[in-house]
Every structure is written in structure tokens, then in C-alpha cells.
Amino acid sequence: MAATAYSPHPIGARRPVPGLSVLAHMSAGLLALPVVTDYAYLQTTVLMWKDFSSWLLFFGLIVAGVGCVLWLIGLLTRRPGPSWGAVGMYVLVMLAAFFNSLLHAGDGWTAIMPWGITLSVVTCVLMLLAAVLNRRATAPLSLRTA
């Protein structure tokens, strides 16, 4: 039996802005890793882990910001992009990550416990919800009903 590849973009259809999905996945990885580094800080109390969390949040916000600019360019040129529900969730993710970054700018233990790690987990959960919303909106109709 031959395998057939599914292409979400038929021939002649407008394609999304190049690089948008790569930036979305990169920012998701950069914004999810602070949960791991916060947990490492709680276990060891080595300040290096708190600094790693701050850097990951900072670069995650930069990459997400570039992704937002590309999404706006795609919106202006009428290219397909994520669903509006996913866009709303992405905005909540960026807000949570921004406040998390402000919290991680504090000193040592008080920057992480209890609100730093809580916001890191909330950011991850919001990213998962945004991914599920985006996946459901872009899935073919035959897979949506399953």
C-alpha cells in the first residue's frame, strides 16, 4: 500500500508567511524550558538556573515578537494563519511570559517561589491550549470529526 502525503495547501492556494510556524515552535520551546530551569533552581538553589530562566523568557519573547510581526504581515497580505482562538491564546501566552520575565528579574528565591514557577507552568498550559486550538482549526474536515 502506497503512503499518500497530506498537503494542507492545495495547488494554487495562498501559503502562510514563510517562517511563521518555525518561530512559533521556537518561541514555544524557549517559553516552556523555564519550567525545567525553575525546578532545577528549586532543587539546587544555584543562581545560574534562575539566570537561565530569565534568558529563556527574554529570548522567547523576542522570537514570539518577530512571529507576531510576521503574522501581522500575513494578515495584511491575506495569507492563511492561525485561527482567531489560537491568536487570542498566543496573546495570553505572551502576556503571561512577559509578567513571568518581570518576576524572574527579582532576587533569588523570591523571584522563583511561588509565583515565578507558577507563571512558568501557566505559560506552558496556555501554549498547549493554543496549539490544540490551532491544530483543530487547521486540521482537514475528515480529521475534525474523529
Side-chain angles (χ1 to χ4, degrees):
M1 175 188 259
T4 58
Y6 165 73
S7 174
H9 311 291
I11 296 174
R14 296 197 65 132
R15 301 215 184 260
V17 176
L20 185 59
S21 66
V22 171
L23 289 174
H25 290 98
M26 276 181 59
S27 66
L30 288 169
L31 294 175
L33 282 174
V35 172
V36 176
T37 55
D38 285 351
Y39 182 73
Y41 176 75
L42 292 178
Q43 296 301 311
T44 63
T45 64
V46 175
L47 281 176
M48 171 190 67
W49 294 112
K50 185 192 89 62
D51 293 338
F52 283 169
S53 294
S54 297
W55 297 335
L56 287 166
L57 288 166
F58 177 72
F59 289 118
L61 284 169
I62 288 176
V63 171
V66 173
C68 285
V69 169
L70 285 181
W71 177 77
L72 287 172
I73 289 171
L75 190 66
L76 292 174
T77 58
R78 298 178 189 240
R79 291 178 179 247
S83 68
W84 285 103
V87 169
M89 291 301 290
Y90 289 142
V91 168
L92 289 177
V93 166
M94 286 189 64
L95 284 173
F98 177 73
F99 288 118
N100 196 9
S101 182
L102 291 178
L103 271 174
H104 277 79
D107 288 335
W109 185 262
T110 57
I112 305 297
M113 268 316 274
W115 297 111
I117 195 163
T118 304
L119 269 178
S120 294
V121 170
V122 166
T123 302
C124 281
V125 169
L126 288 174
M127 280 189 299
L128 286 172
L129 290 174
V132 167
L133 282 174
N134 194 30
R135 181 72 172 184
R136 283 197 167 266
T138 58
L141 288 175
S142 61
L143 294 178
R144 286 187 205 172
T145 57

